[in-house]
Amino acid sequence: MKAGIVLFPGTNRERDMAQALRLVSGREPVMLWHRDTALPSLDLVVLPGGFSFGDYLRSGAMGAHSPIMREVRAFAEAGGHVLGVCNGFQILTEAQLLPGALLRNASMRFLSQDCHLKVENNISPYTRGWSKGDVFRAPMAHGDGNYNAAPDVLDRLEGEGRVAFRYAEANGAVDAVDPALNPNGSMQAIAGILSENGRICGLMPHPENLVDPDLGATDGVPLFKGLVESLVA
Amino acid sequence: MSQTVDAALAARFGLTAEEYGKVLNIMGRTPSLTELGIFSVMWSEHCSYKSSRIHLKTLPTKAPWVVHGPGENAGVVDIGDGLTAVFKMESHNHPSFIEPYQGAATGVGGILRDVFTMGARPVANLNALRFGDPKTPGTRRIVDGVVRGVGGYGNCVGVPTVGGEVNFHSAYDGNPLVNAMTVGIAPRDRIFLSAAAGIGNPVVYVGSKTGRDGIHGATMSSSEFDEHAAAKRPTVQVGDPFTEKLLIEACLELMATDAIVAIQDMGAAGLTSSAVEMAGKGGVGIELELDNVPQRETGMSAYEMMLSESQERMLMVLKPEQTDIARKIFEKWELDFAVIGHLTDTARITILHKGKLEADIPLAPLADEAPIYERPFVHTPGPVRLTTVPDPVGIEHALLTLLGCPDLASRAWIWNQYDSGVGGQTARRPGTADAAIVRVEGTRRGLAVTTDCTPRYVHADPSAGAAQAVAEAWRNITATGAKPLAITDNLNFGNPENPEVMGQFVDAIKGMGDACRALDFPVVSGNVSLYNETKHPNGRRISILPTPAIGAVGVIDDVTQAVGYAMPDDCDLVLIGEQRGDLGQSLWLREIAHREDGAPPVVDLVAERRNGDFVRSQITSGKVVACHDLADGGLLIALAEMSIVSGVGCKLVKPLYDSAALHAHFFGEDQACYVIATKSGIAMIEAAEKAHVPARRLGRSGGKNLDLWQQIIVPVTRLRAVNDAFFPTFMER
């Protein structure tokens, strides 16, 4: 699997993402600069976490207008796979490659803590490493992760099975109104979603930070394994 | 500006009449306003260490693994594999009281620059925070602002905030302490220093533009607060973590070339101190043309530019033929890059602005004749040891009260606002081990990092208390299995012109030095923050508790060998170390008996080293499942914390000592002690006996309760609920 990681000014989880991709796929990802106007031949484009342009406007709003995003859009329109994590998810919504918006956390504070994610769909490359209903641990670290969308958009996401991950309790219980279970206040406890063709995925928590047994946990491995299985011809 | 320069203006700039006399002598004429500004900031307490320097010189700074000790931007120690850890802690106390968010944020930014200016990629941030009494109006606002500021900056620059400490005491009501520490990693053969060299080489300014913020910040940090403190808000700088992140990446990219001769961040006293120190260390002269300084405001004078403390700026001396390579890197990162001067053979700093010579100062006397004071001091009277204090409330009540008190309550509310995982190397996060562990990228090695100080001990007995701070940092590193390497110290004290405060300082340095020598734990960097006192309208001066915060770094060869304090079921629990059952200066005494007296716990550095070396060897040979040192709150709090983090109870056997002394053994803050969870308590105790280390069996882990020989049974869920309650209740009400 040939993966490229886009670096925006202010991106800060590119090394984490590279480490995860390297560990699970055995292949070194290429780093792409936000001003690049062409993509190399790739199986996967990743928009990693961080604070692109300081997020001094809305989170991800400036990054969505970087020159490389024209190429990312073309890549996606041609059926390419795009993963956005945290700030990457925010950029994907700002670029309207995924629907909805990520507002300030309901607590109005930055949240850095472990959460549990329930896998709601296991047919996309991003989720096939799990079974539907599986629960895994992932750290979250964001100030703006409160997923919001218009009612009809939510209905479509739910109806088409495009909610990939939901915040949950370790036992799988979901309760969108309980801040202990849905820490940032996301609508319907949505933590990650898929595009219509299932090839673009955005999620707020960081599975890339839980892939190395030497650091104590491997909960995030199935996401990357699933991608490798899907994208290695 | 057409201000007359005279002794009165010098006094307003913080120079004494005698110091101003020295300036006149050096210059042989009345200095210009810009020159007076330069002298006043360079000779401020903050930049010159004039009250502390003679004492600091007594601290041990060498060991075979020390690459660079004090005197550089940060200390550097060898960690193996051709790599080094680069670290320092620095205070931002005064700004954080005036404007908590920006004060704390720029404190983080400043210490990060001290570390990456040496060529190190920052890999961990820590912060040691002291706040006023939670009941004091205003404490909440400061806690909220400081925590948001630390997080706001650290999260954005993408350096994990992995540890630190928080205390509350009314002595910090008008003067909180914000001490920020950064640890970075650099190849041993790629360390960058600040000594300028090469006559004619260009002096290059990079980073943010210069504005009028922070003018005379270093001078403000060198005086006490009064009721007009809020009026000093314009002297606080504003941080921009996004630009800092770009600056880190651009500098590290440039450092991979060989274009840099010398580099220094612009911290306190901005362009003045970076230019003066770089040229001074290199023994060369420097000429600056201020018209070329990137400015974000119009009409700035030379004086304003030289004294501005605008953030996120660096000064470099480059090899002339490589200037274009450097320029391209900074243009890529969209940062300002300007050649603002060159090195000269005059041994003077000359400043030109709009065709006018604004300053012309000989560098050697500016540094060499900086005032040094041997201030008078008196020793703190020796504390009176406590006689027996009866237990008024019983063990269970005391346990729950202590677990819920501000100084012991769970800090999760704070940690959860700091990104502790960015970078992908965090092996032990805050609240899971006595020191945080960050893996060295590309290796199996880990760095163990902690900050420690117990100010109430230092207040009662400055020498013993400061030794305890060093010993506790050493112990916290040891309790993870790592080898302690070196410390950085952040010495926060009151007004040094008060002989009692100066006595605290002198004795604390002595205690620190003793502990550093006994533990082979040298000081490689540090910072002194004096004048931490508040002058009330009635004339009374309140000093902070003397707070020599210690930041420490250790190394473990294999991160998978490191232990935390979460314990599984069915382990034997063993106490390593000797209990004295002394309650002097304990949290129990303060929270239960409502007294703050007695002597702090005895620090036996020989026992500390022997017990610690034993524990570390047991951990690295795989015999320890979990380990937690005894600290605030003593033995029973240590056990409760192990239960809370793991959700596993423990069953204790009845100890042999007199039941009337039970509270003293459970809550006395004995030093050089560890609780160990192990698969075989018998083997552990045998090994300890062989090493002449005191050890005794405490009981076993398991169940859902903290169970004291079935006399007292407290569910772990209750312990956790009590421990979790304070911060959310205090801050979110």
Side-chain angles (χ1 to χ4, degrees), chain A residues 13 35 56 109 112 212, chain B residues 144 240 334 416 419 439:
Chain A
R13 260 187 163 85
R35 287 221 193 115
Y56 288 152
R109 289 188 186 276
S112 167
D212 188 343
Chain B
D144 184 67
D240 175 0
E334 298 178 42
N416 287 352
D419 189 342
R439 186 171 62 182

Side-chain angles (χ1 to χ4, degrees), chain A residues 28-101:
Chain A
E28 191 65 32
V30 293
M31 290 292 174
L32 310 168
W33 184 236
H34 76 116
R35 287 221 193 115
D36 291 353
T37 50
L39 293 181
S41 160
L42 294 171
D43 300 313
L44 173 72
V45 170
V46 183
L47 310 185
F51 288 74
S52 53
F53 298 91
D55 283 344
Y56 288 152
L57 194 57
R58 287 185 318 276
S59 292
M62 301 272 289
H65 289 94
S66 271
I68 200 169
M69 288 307 293
R70 272 194 296 273
E71 306 307 314
V72 173
R73 185 184 304 279
F75 176 79
E77 279 166 1
H81 288 80
V82 181
L83 169 64
V85 176
C86 199
N87 196 225
F89 186 13
Q90 293 161 344
I91 292 170
L92 288 175
T93 59
E94 285 288 343
Q96 298 186 3
L97 286 165
L98 287 173

Side-chain angles (χ1 to χ4, degrees), chain B residues 334-352:
Chain B
E334 298 178 42
L335 292 167
D336 272 301
F337 179 101
V339 177
I340 63 162
H342 60 277
L343 300 185
T344 65
D345 59 2
T346 61
R348 303 174 77 86
I349 178 166
T350 46
I351 312 253
L352 300 163

Side-chain angles (χ1 to χ4, degrees), chain A residues 108-110, chain B residues 92-108 127 129-132 138-155 166 168 176-178 233 236-237 239 413-414 417-418 727 730-732:
Chain A
M108 303 303 278
R109 289 188 186 276
F110 189 94
Chain B
H92 233 215
N93 304 334
H94 290 75
S96 299
F97 176 65
I98 299 172
E99 168 38 48
Y101 184 98
Q102 291 298 345
T106 53
V108 174
N127 48 84
L129 310 176
R130 322 279 164 188
F131 299 114
T139 298
R140 257 179 81 200
R141 182 185 68 87
I142 293 174
V143 173
D144 184 67
V146 167
V147 170
R148 282 183 193 272
V150 168
Y153 207 99
N155 297 341
V166 183
F168 293 89
L177 303 184
V178 174
R233 190 160 297 150
V236 177
Q237 315 83 342
W413 180 89
I414 294 178
Q417 297 180 59
Y418 301 157
F727 269 99
F730 175 48
M731 294 305 299
E732 308 285 355

